[in-house]
Amino acid sequence: MAILCTTTSPAEKEHEPKQDLEKDQTSPLIFNPSLLNLQSQIPNQFIWPDEEKPSIDIPELNVPFIDLSSQDSTLEAPRVIAEACTKHGFFLVVNHGVSESLIADAHRLMESFFDMPLAGKQKAQRKPGESCGYASSFTGRFSTKLPWKETLSFQFSNDNSGSRTVQDYFSDTLGQEFEQFGKVYQDYCEAMSSLSLKIMELLGLSLGVNRDYFRGFFEENDSIMRLNHYPPCQTPDLTLGTGPHCDPSSLTILHQDHVNGLQVFVDNQWQSIRPNPKAFVVNIGDTFMVIENILRK
């Protein structure tokens, strides 16, 4: 499982990776892992072509660590980040100030949600055309190469109005018994928003501009928080938890669990990023790459 936060400016919108759309009007497949795992084979819709699947036996990507507590972070970190962004766009931040207990609570409650019966999770079912809610794979949207995963996505707006958008979302969508869920993820989103602004400051320095250059633009950011769950699969060699894609947003901050699965396509080969419970994986999205290219000209 993994917790993903994608930060955008108020003008950006999230997009899903493109796949072949369902052309007929047949009833969509229901992705219910507890039932599908009772079958001897997975449905064909989840089987991926061999040429599109990353290899298991791959090298580990050399991803730099950025220590946000270091007094030298504003001196050395921008140079290291600039080099990483030029090569592949990934780096890890440690000593980031997000409490270990908050991260542990977020993972614990995520596991609790995805352990619920399907009917309970479907109370938060994502509606067509929306980016928030519960989604069981991409069934109903695509007909082939479906990812073997469930997600719960919700929006956070750092508009300085004092609103508790995440906390209200959980209570309004799933009921008052999920008030604690909402409180934890409200706190988590606020921590990610603060962390994203720190990272944006270093990105500004790495591009040779003032550290506050991006703060005015991203301070009142809109973010999508996504909880990703990859259930056990009886034939894991046939499917993928998430297909190859690019992140269209400005910044992605990811916290992995202990399972190694994150891979990045660099130098014409897939390379892995090993899980580190004390670090967040930071990925520069397509939108920020455009900004970066403009500033470098």
Side-chain angles (χ1 to χ4, degrees):
M1 290 188 285
I3 303 176
L4 182 74
C5 178
T6 56
T7 300
T8 66
S9 71
E12 293 176 64
K13 292 183 179 179
E14 183 193 43
H15 300 279
E16 296 287 2
K18 295 181 179 179
Q19 296 187 23
D20 295 332
L21 293 176
E22 178 66 76
K23 295 181 179 179
D24 57 42
Q25 300 299 317
T26 57
S27 299
L29 173 71
I30 302 298
F31 181 65
N32 189 342
S34 60
L35 294 181
L36 290 177
N37 276 323
L38 297 177
Q39 303 176 14
S40 58
Q41 294 183 343
I42 64 175
N44 289 334
Q45 293 95 321
F46 293 96
I47 297 178
W48 284 68
D50 288 340
E51 63 271 16
E52 295 188 32
K53 289 185 294 187
S55 172
I56 296 177
D57 185 20
I58 61 173
E60 185 174 335
L61 182 65
N62 182 19
V63 185
F65 285 80
I66 306 299
D67 186 347
L68 296 184
S69 70
S70 172
Q71 293 182 352
D72 297 329
S73 63
T74 56
L75 299 176
E76 181 67 11
R79 183 193 63 78
V80 176
I81 289 175
E83 183 178 352
C85 291
T86 301
K87 290 182 177 179
H88 44 65
F90 284 80
F91 55 92
L92 283 78
V93 294
V94 294
N95 294 323
H96 39 68
V98 183
S99 74
E100 293 184 6
S101 62
L102 178 59
I103 296 173
D105 286 346
H107 276 278
R108 175 178 56 82
L109 292 178
M110 173 171 54
E111 184 175 353
S112 175
F113 175 83
F114 288 116
D115 280 345
M116 291 171 53
L118 180 61
K121 291 180 284 191
Q122 286 179 328
K123 291 181 179 179
Q125 187 72 41
R126 183 186 299 185
K127 297 178 182 179
E130 295 186 355
S131 58
C132 294
Y134 169 74
S136 53
S137 187
F138 288 143
T139 60
R141 294 184 58 194
F142 307 118
S143 60
T144 61
K145 297 186 291 187
L146 297 176
W148 192 268
K149 71 173 180 179
E150 304 172 278
T151 64
L152 179 64
S153 306
F154 41 94
Q155 188 171 7
F156 171 78
S157 296
N158 190 38
D159 56 8
N160 296 321
S161 66
S163 61
R164 310 290 287 179
T165 53
V166 175
Q167 194 164 340
D168 292 342
Y169 170 81
F170 274 87
S171 297
D172 295 344
T173 305
L174 294 167
Q176 289 301 316
E177 62 269 31
F178 284 85
E179 183 178 358
Q180 181 61 23
F181 278 68
K183 184 180 185 307
V184 167
Y185 289 119
Q186 178 76 41
D187 292 344
Y188 191 94
C189 286
E190 291 175 358
M192 290 300 100
S193 181
S194 297
L195 177 58
S196 70
L197 292 178
K198 293 179 184 178
I199 295 170
M200 284 294 181
E201 289 182 352
L202 293 178
L203 286 170
L205 293 174
S206 74
L207 291 169
V209 297
N210 188 283
R211 66 182 306 153
D212 294 329
Y213 186 87
F214 294 115
R215 177 172 284 274
F217 190 65
F218 287 99
E219 194 161 25
E220 295 188 7
N221 65 77
D222 288 331
S223 300
I224 294 292
M225 179 69 67
R226 176 165 295 160
L227 312 180
N228 289 327
H229 177 226
Y230 307 100
C233 179
Q234 63 270 50
T235 51
D237 58 313
L238 297 180
T239 190
L240 290 177
T242 296
H245 65 280
C246 296
D247 289 352
S249 57
S250 294
L251 195 68
T252 296
I253 303 175
L254 170 70
H255 193 270
Q256 302 168 273
D257 65 4
H258 62 283
V259 178
N260 193 352
L262 177 61
Q263 298 186 8
V264 182
F265 195 68
V266 181
D267 297 331
N268 294 317
Q269 66 173 337
W270 290 100
Q271 302 184 46
S272 67
I273 297 181
R274 181 185 302 177
N276 185 324
K278 294 186 178 297
F280 285 100
V281 181
V282 179
N283 175 23
I284 303 303
D286 290 345
T287 300
F288 196 87
M289 286 179 63
V290 173
I291 299 173
E292 178 184 17
N293 290 334
I294 293 174
L295 289 176
R296 288 188 183 278
K297 289 182 178 180

